[in-house]
Amino acid sequence: MTEFDVFEERIEIEYFRSTAPSVRAFLTSLRDDAEILGSTCEECGHVEVPPRDACPACGADVESFEPVPSEGELISWTDDGDEAFGVVALDGTDAGFVHALLDDDVEVGARVQAVFADDREGHLSDIEGFEVIG
Amino acid sequence: MRGEVAIVGVHQLATEAEMEDVPEERMVFDAVKGALADAGVDRDVLDTVIVAGNDVLDGRTISNTFTAEAEGGYMKDETKVAHDGLHAAVYGVMRILSGLHDVAMVVAYGNHNSISYEQWTNFALDPFRIRPTGLDGIHLAALQARRYYETTDATPEDAARVAASNLAAARDNPLALRSDDVDPGDVAGSGVAADPLRQLEVAPPGDGACAVILASADRVDEFDPDPAYVQGIGHASDALRPGDDAFHRLRAAGRAGGTALSRAGVDADAVDVAELTELFAPHQLMLAETLGLADHGPDVLDDGVAVNPSGGALAGHAYFATGLHRLAEAARQVTGRAGDRQVDDATTALAHGASGPAHQANAAAVVSSEVGP
Amino acid sequence: MREDVAVVGTGITPGEDKRKDADIPTLMREAAQDALADADLTPQDLDAVVVGNAGEFFAGTNMPDLFGLSEIHADGLPEMRIHTGGTAGASTGLAGFYHAASGLYDTVMVVTFEKLGDVNAQQALSTVYHPIFQRQYGAGAPSAAGAQAMRYIHKYGSDKTEYQAAKIAAKQRRCAMEVPYAQLKMELEPDEIMESPPLSTPVKFLDTCPATDGACAMIFQTADAAREAAGQPAWVTGVGAITDGVNQPHRDWADPEACVKAGRKAYEMAGVEDPVRDFDVLELYDAFSFQEIIWHEALGFADRGEGGSLIDEGMTTPDGEIPTCPSGGVLCHNPIGATALIRQAEAARQVMGTADHQIPDVDRSLGHGWGGVIQFFTAMIFETTPQGEPP
């Protein structure tokens, strides 16, 4: 090793992201109502969660945001030893919702439901994760 | 487009865990100089230069500001694709097909400094809807793999066989970052990366670079190597939709490959060698299916097309250089320059590149030693 | 050229320093939807999409094209991203052109954006500089522009140059009054610009571009499809791009060799011999007013050292012989990664007859861009008829 063979640097950049209506509505719903909001396309009926302002199925503008059930079927999961994540097909929606799993022993096909935090700020972490209910 | 564009020079740096004392510019320079030497030509012959690089990896915005000269791009029509090197090659082919350029240098590199693959992929996720969960590309790959196992007959044992096979193949590849003599049981016992992925099933990141020279077919005689004709190209990107079938079927990869094959005028069964970007072992099985190389992914382990004789990405990936490694390998295979890993009678090869979390952005090329059908 | 290619539709979002109501996918979508409507096409008509912006650190997302794919109708389509800093918009436009000119894709949409309003700009911009040699000292693009202007004045400038730059800035700002999407609309006299505070001597505050949240989309089609377009297509008859090297010691920002060469390549392709005579309107990438003088010279509209005379003689105002930046240009609207595409889009609009500040009787226009450390140069020429055909 010679001197100065490594040049250290730390890049720190702060972001203050403007949000689209779907995101505003989604975060508000998490904080105020402990509900997961989805978006419903008036053209083709596709229900997306988390909500988006354009329909991923047909490309139309979407302006309708409604709460969706916070439970559904676990269609995939992973566990790295520290954290577990799952893809949940929430009932009545056409998308897979990705979030933390709270149980150690899960199987694809399990019924799971969201557990909300008591203190919520309008952030994805307002959902602590999903627990198995059956 | 068949018979119109050829690969006439290739140089790939050996992928290393850390290239000490080697900044990005040097890696690019060595790759480009090597390709020019391989082709037996000077920089003067180049009409255009396309680099594939990533600012986040480099820790620098507008990364090609600093690499342009090393790329051979000084006073040339030089540009940068912010996707995998195989996307840059696809763009290079388009430039030649347009008739406005005859010779293109395509160079791709990845020098991962101190950013991890986990950070790099997490930073690519939707900042509102997924990134805050802390998920990264390895978790997403695990979610894809589990969906794949649940919906097909493929099993984790098949993925373990892929890892063992690729690591063994890499022993014949002096350019690989790693190789190993392991059996599927060792893979299964290598510790959990993110279940169902095992550590040995995750492509290790390294520093690497590769350069490929493309030329209009009517100029191939000006270059030393036997040409490998690029007979078809394709590319496609999928939005990240973990609930859709596209997620575990790697739909965009299938479209990229399908388009390349269709343009080349061949079916998947004409492919002798497939060099695929399998950043995770199960993905090689998924790719085999979506590309039409096998109805049942694990079948490629037993017969038919040779998949990843180089060891693939599992033998070491270098971010955006990885897909170009695959193209370089495909070119070597069809021109008999693959050394100890040469597949007998290889005349047609399929190269695939992927980047982004969950293999979202894909490119493919079909190369052949024969100019016509 | 294998295929004749034309622009058939464009979309430019209204500029604000911070679009508080929209995120990046929303901005991209607005531009994309506008371009599709302008071209009278549907998303199903798209064969490929190319995305560009000026930096992952600016966007706050790695590979930022991927998270808005479905918003721009690109989910599942051939898609790639181009990134060359300030000229990313033009490089992306060139990529879109090549997708079509290759003969492989008939209808190609290019979408570019920037949203610096979301980030601490100083922190983000600091990542442009070389980490070891420059990062602590780089004060951003204004210092480069100041050095460039100083160099020009030293080499050629008379005591008129600063005022000529102020007149150019006033011209640009007056033009923007006619352009609804332009972020900055302020009618100013050259004296007011001269009196504005210095940013990086001799460049003053009002000589300088803003940072805008915005997007631009443009749709290319190959000939058979373009001929079916309802409106007048803008045929691409010349393209050129050249990269200079940051490390070349003889590089002279007052005489940018790469800009000269990029222009010449495009001119040769389009059969342009006398730029002043052959062009009807120019959209140059004047991020700073002084640059217009230098770009006019490099692109052959004036002799070396004479570029400032164009504004003095009234050649470059909207009613002049070579109107330059009737859109108001970069000085009035600058979503960095989109800005160079906007130069191409405005040049195309002038040929299509759809520009907000339309110059009468345009047959041939030029869209120019630069990026990096004033090192990447691009040029795209548009005409009312394809290459080789009379107007």
Side-chain angles (χ1 to χ4, degrees):
Chain A
M1 293 260 269
T2 53
E3 266 199 303
F4 302 121
D5 59 344
V6 173
F7 185 90
E8 271 190 44
E9 183 187 18
R10 188 177 170 78
I11 295 178
E12 219 166 280
I13 307 180
E14 295 168 279
Y15 296 90
F16 306 91
R17 302 178 200 274
S18 305
T19 50
S22 62
V23 172
R24 267 174 255 145
F26 177 65
L27 298 178
T28 306
S29 166
L30 286 177
R31 182 194 61 192
D32 293 351
D33 305 321
E35 282 181 324
I36 298 174
L37 216 62
S39 51
T40 303
C41 177
E42 316 231 314
E43 293 286 321
C44 74
H46 176 95
V47 178
E48 181 68 12
V49 64
R52 299 190 85 95
D53 306 277
C55 181
C58 75
D61 288 331
V62 172
E63 277 155 27
S64 162
F65 308 122
E66 298 288 338
V68 298
S70 52
E71 62 178 78
E73 182 188 335
L74 188 67
I75 62 171
S76 191
W77 62 270
T78 184
D79 189 329
D80 64 13
D82 289 324
E83 293 181 291
F85 297 97
V87 182
V88 182
L90 294 172
D91 292 342
T93 68
D94 302 303
F97 187 76
V98 179
H99 211 292
L101 291 175
L102 301 171
D103 294 304
D104 279 338
D105 210 0
V106 295
E107 276 180 3
V108 169
R111 294 281 308 168
V112 295
Q113 80 176 5
V115 173
F116 288 88
D118 292 326
D119 293 318
R120 299 183 301 278
E121 300 174 343
H123 191 271
L124 262 182
S125 58
D126 291 349
I127 300 171
E128 288 178 354
F130 281 75
E131 65 179 2
V132 176
I133 53 174
Chain B
M1 63 169 286
R2 276 175 298 174
E4 294 192 51
V5 183
I7 295 170
V8 294
V10 169
H11 188 70
Q12 179 176 339
L13 271 50
T15 304
E16 296 179 29
E18 289 291 341
M19 283 190 187
E20 287 186 12
D21 305 332
V22 181
E24 288 85 352
E25 294 92 321
R26 182 78 219 195
M27 293 165 60
V28 167
F29 180 78
D30 286 344
V32 167
K33 285 291 273 188
L36 290 170
D38 185 50
V41 295
D42 271 320
R43 190 179 85 87
D44 301 340
V45 78
L46 304 177
D47 295 312
T48 185
V49 176
I50 306 177
V51 64
N54 178 270
D55 287 1
V56 178
L57 215 53
D58 287 13
R60 298 192 293 205
T61 288
I62 325 176
S63 55
N64 64 317
T65 295
F66 302 104
T67 58
E69 291 147 287
E71 298 158 24
Y74 176 63
M75 283 301 150
K76 299 216 179 268
D77 188 333
E78 177 268 350
T79 191
K80 177 181 143 195
V81 169
H83 271 203
D84 178 82
L86 191 49
H87 280 93
V90 161
Y91 184 19
V93 169
M94 288 186 223
R95 285 190 161 214
I96 293 174
L97 289 175
S98 75
L100 296 175
H101 301 274
D102 273 353
V103 186
M105 172 67 72
V106 179
V107 56
Y109 70 101
N111 182 327
H112 62 156
N113 295 299
S114 47
I115 192 168
S116 67
Y117 181 77
E118 289 87 323
Q119 272 180 302
W120 189 80
T121 49
N122 173 265
F123 192 40
L125 297 175
D126 183 318
F128 309 107
R129 300 174 184 83
I130 298 200
R131 195 184 311 173
T133 61
L135 267 179
D136 56 51
I138 298 181
H139 296 109
L140 285 168
L143 292 170
Q144 286 172 303
R146 176 152 277 122
R147 279 278 276 164
Y148 173 64
Y149 295 143
E150 289 286 326
T151 56
T152 66
D153 293 332
T155 65
E157 287 70 39
D158 295 318
R161 288 179 61 206
V162 167
S165 169
N166 288 7
L167 287 172
R171 285 174 305 176
D172 292 330
N173 188 356
L175 303 172
L177 166 61
R178 81 169 171 187
S179 63
D180 214 338
D181 188 5
V182 293
D183 59 42
D186 298 326
V187 174
S190 63
V192 171
D195 202 87
L197 296 175
R198 296 293 173 268
Q199 296 289 1
L200 284 176
E201 291 175 354
V202 176
D207 293 344
C210 185
V212 167
I213 303 178
L214 301 168
S216 175
D218 56 4
R219 306 249 326 242
V220 298
D221 292 336
E222 294 171 36
F223 304 89
D224 288 347
D226 290 334
Y229 291 93
V230 180
Q231 304 296 50
I233 54 170
H235 66 296
S237 296
D238 278 334
L240 180 60
R241 304 191 50 69
D244 285 8
D245 283 353
F247 182 63
H248 68 273
R249 290 205 195 291
L250 303 186
R251 177 187 67 171
R255 287 188 178 176
T259 302
L261 288 164
S262 149
R263 286 180 175 149
V266 297
D267 288 328
D269 54 23
V271 174
D272 302 310
V273 178
E275 279 285 330
L276 311 178
T277 296
E278 79 315 2
L279 294 166
F280 307 92
H283 288 55
Q284 181 160 311
L285 305 170
M286 292 181 238
L287 287 168
E289 288 177 23
T290 199
L291 293 167
L293 299 172
D295 289 334
H296 173 61
D299 288 346
V300 295
L301 287 161
D302 299 314
D303 54 29
V305 58
V307 180
N308 286 342
S310 66
L314 282 171
H317 84 87
Y319 291 86
F320 285 176
T322 308
L324 204 60
H325 287 166
R326 307 277 76 71
L327 183 67
E329 194 65 19
R332 284 188 211 104
Q333 283 286 348
V334 303
T335 53
R337 302 209 287 164
D340 291 334
R341 56 201 187 278
Q342 181 68 51
V343 171
D344 291 335
D345 303 318
T347 50
T348 300
L350 173 68
H352 160 263
S355 57
H359 274 65
Q360 284 176 264
N362 295 264
V366 173
V367 300
S368 169
S369 53
E370 291 158 355
V371 57
Chain C
M1 216 157 46
R2 180 192 216 97
E3 287 276 351
D4 284 316
V5 176
V7 170
V8 295
T10 61
I12 303 176
T13 61
E16 295 176 33
D17 68 341
K18 185 170 169 71
R19 278 286 305 272
K20 296 191 182 116
D21 62 314
D23 59 13
I24 284 167
T26 310
L27 284 181
M28 289 206 285
R29 182 180 173 81
E30 277 180 22
Q33 299 284 69
D34 281 351
L36 285 164
D38 189 40
D40 199 25
L41 292 171
T42 69
Q44 289 67 35
D45 293 319
L46 296 174
D47 297 313
V49 173
V50 192
V51 179
N53 81 303
E56 290 79 344
F57 291 119
F58 295 173
T61 297
N62 189 16
M63 304 184 75
D65 49 312
L66 297 181
F67 90 98
L69 281 181
S70 56
E71 277 74 14
I72 59 171
H73 313 292
D75 184 16
L77 280 192
E79 179 271 341
M80 64 172 73
R81 175 167 163 256
I82 305 293
H83 167 21
T84 53
T87 201
S91 300
T92 310
L94 284 166
F97 162 76
Y98 280 112
H99 273 61
S102 70
L104 297 179
Y105 301 101
D106 288 328
T107 303
V108 183
M109 179 168 69
V110 168
V111 184
T112 59
F113 67 90
E114 211 69 60
K115 205 172 192 303
L116 268 181
D118 279 1
V119 64
N120 179 318
Q122 268 294 86
Q123 290 171 339
L125 287 167
S126 76
T127 59
V128 176
Y129 291 92
H130 193 288
I132 297 175
F133 299 116
Q134 296 168 338
R135 201 161 285 177
Q136 279 188 290
Y137 304 105
S143 63
Q148 183 185 29
M150 248 342 168
R151 171 72 194 150
Y152 179 87
I153 291 173
H154 168 79
K155 195 170 181 183
Y156 297 119
S158 60
D159 44 12
K160 290 191 200 169
T161 305
E162 269 190 72
Y163 199 72
Q164 287 165 342
K167 291 200 311 193
I168 288 168
K171 163 183 71 80
Q172 234 85 300
R173 298 195 181 291
R174 196 169 306 122
C175 283
M177 304 298 292
E178 313 291 327
V179 181
Y181 73 73
Q183 181 195 340
L184 298 181
K185 294 183 190 51
M186 26 190 197
E187 194 131 27
L188 293 168
E189 294 303 315
D191 286 340
E192 293 175 85
I193 291 164
M194 288 293 286
E195 283 155 26
S196 63
L199 204 61
S200 184
T201 311
V203 174
K204 301 164 198 63
F205 188 70
L206 289 173
D207 286 320
T208 303
C209 57
T212 312
D213 276 0
C216 174
M218 195 153 91
I219 300 177
F220 292 92
Q221 282 194 310
T222 47
D224 288 348
R227 287 188 203 279
E228 312 258 301
Q232 164 70 55
W235 297 93
V236 180
T237 55
V239 294
I242 296 288
T243 287
D244 205 334
V246 278
N247 297 308
Q248 301 301 316
H250 65 279
R251 196 154 85 92
D252 188 344
W253 283 348
D255 266 315
E257 190 186 351
C259 183
V260 173
K261 291 198 155 126
R264 285 207 188 128
K265 274 184 132 283
Y267 293 172
E268 200 174 49
M269 224 178 111
V272 166
E273 285 166 352
D274 178 348
V276 173
R277 179 198 69 196
D278 293 342
F279 284 106
D280 301 306
V281 63
L282 315 176
E283 280 286 333
L284 306 184
Y285 198 118
D286 305 334
F288 306 89
S289 57
F290 289 81
Q291 291 185 328
E292 184 163 301
I293 296 173
I294 296 171
W295 307 148
H296 271 132
E297 291 176 15
L299 293 168
F301 294 93
D303 291 333
R304 286 277 185 286
E306 300 293 316
S309 65
L310 295 177
I311 188 75
D312 283 344
E313 288 161 25
M315 300 265 286
T316 53
T317 48
D319 54 355
E321 202 175 330
I322 29 154
T324 304
C325 300
S327 67
V330 187
L331 282 185
C332 304
H333 183 91
N334 179 30
I336 302 178
T339 298
L341 185 68
I342 294 177
R343 305 285 66 73
Q344 291 175 353
E346 275 288 344
R349 283 181 174 188
Q350 289 287 346
V351 167
M352 293 161 83
T354 58
D356 291 308
H357 190 186
Q358 181 70 44
I359 303 299
D361 303 317
V362 171
D363 282 324
R364 186 190 280 118
S365 66
L366 172 68
H368 154 271
W370 70 265
V373 189
I374 320 186
Q375 74 190 112
F376 307 130
F377 288 92
T378 57
M380 193 179 277
I381 299 175
F382 301 94
E383 294 185 39
T384 47
T385 52
Q387 191 183 44
E389 282 180 37

